[in-house]
Amino acid sequence: MTFVEELRRRAELSGAPLTRLGDGRDRYGPVAAILFTAGGYISVRRRSSGTNLVTVWDHRGELVAWGYAPGVDDVVNTLRAWQDDLPLRDLCSDVARYLQASGAQAATETLWSVLTNNDESFLHAIVTAAAANEILRALRPWVSHGTLHLLHAADSVHGVRRGLAFHPTGEATFRVHIYDGPTGPVEDATTAATTAAATAATW
């Protein structure tokens, strides 16, 4: 039985099926389960330790809460409440107390954790290099069409004023594109991260 099948079975036994639950991937890579609603979606990632990282995203794609579910039934209850359009505040305080509503800095670190723990070979080199750079680690990672973007942590995803992207040009080589600015030469991941950090340090 797959994880999604187990979640569905438990939900059906409780009398509240999960109608839009599936597996696949979200913006940051493969997920064990994902549930879409009009208000956003929830992704569940299974860790080797047996824990389940639950991340809650609003309709804009902003991370609004996350946490490690104590058990599978806690995941089911969280998904069911989100499917029933329970407000985020009530979800975190009443149904899924393991969830932490996000602040900008904590959300950024959670996103880096998600990225560095996912096995996305095409992102591995640049994620590793960027995550090791203190200046870049303070920026919010955002993945679009296989490209790692880093956004100023204070900017919303759809209102970015300061950001940059690492456009892949081959195996572990990239061009750094500064938003509203130039695109640099082809560089290896470590050099590209250093180039990006020099600009981000001025923001």
Side-chain angles (χ1 to χ4, degrees):
M1 179 182 295
T2 68
F3 184 58
V4 166
E5 288 170 343
E6 182 180 3
L7 294 175
R8 285 177 178 157
R9 182 183 65 83
R10 294 192 186 207
E12 287 168 1
L13 288 174
S14 69
L18 295 168
T19 57
R20 299 188 66 190
L21 180 68
D23 56 11
R25 56 190 303 117
D26 64 11
R27 183 174 296 280
Y28 291 88
V31 298
I34 189 165
L35 177 82
F36 292 97
T37 70
Y41 64 94
I42 290 182
S43 300
V44 184
R45 289 177 162 83
R46 306 210 79 184
R47 298 305 192 203
S48 57
S49 61
T51 57
N52 298 297
L53 173 61
V54 177
T55 48
V56 184
W57 312 80
D58 69 11
H59 67 282
R60 303 165 300 170
E62 297 275 7
L63 179 64
V64 291
W66 68 89
Y68 286 93
V72 176
D73 285 332
D74 297 286
V75 176
V76 172
N77 292 336
T78 304
L79 295 171
R80 189 168 52 211
W82 191 248
Q83 178 176 270
D84 292 341
D85 298 322
L86 189 70
L88 178 67
R89 185 175 190 176
D90 296 334
L91 178 69
C92 295
S93 64
D94 299 337
V95 175
R97 294 184 178 178
Y98 66 88
L99 287 177
Q100 172 185 345
S102 69
Q105 182 175 356
T108 294
E109 188 53 39
T110 298
L111 292 174
W112 278 112
S113 176
V114 167
L115 266 181
T116 55
N117 281 284
N118 275 348
D119 186 22
E120 295 279 49
S121 58
F122 63 93
L123 285 174
H124 178 75
I126 194 60
V127 165
T128 300
N133 186 292
E134 183 178 359
I135 294 171
L136 299 183
R137 185 82 182 208
L139 304 178
R140 179 166 37 161
W142 172 258
V143 179
S144 179
H145 298 92
T147 298
L148 175 65
H149 297 248
L150 299 182
L151 316 178
H152 193 282
D155 292 351
S156 67
V157 170
H158 297 292
V160 177
R161 296 171 296 158
R162 293 154 294 183
L164 55 89
F166 297 96
H167 293 290
T169 58
E171 187 174 348
T173 58
F174 306 86
R175 290 181 184 271
V176 178
H177 171 223
I178 309 302
Y179 289 6
D180 296 326
T183 298
V186 175
E187 299 175 310
D188 63 45
T190 301
T191 306
T194 300
T195 299
T199 293
T202 67
W203 293 346

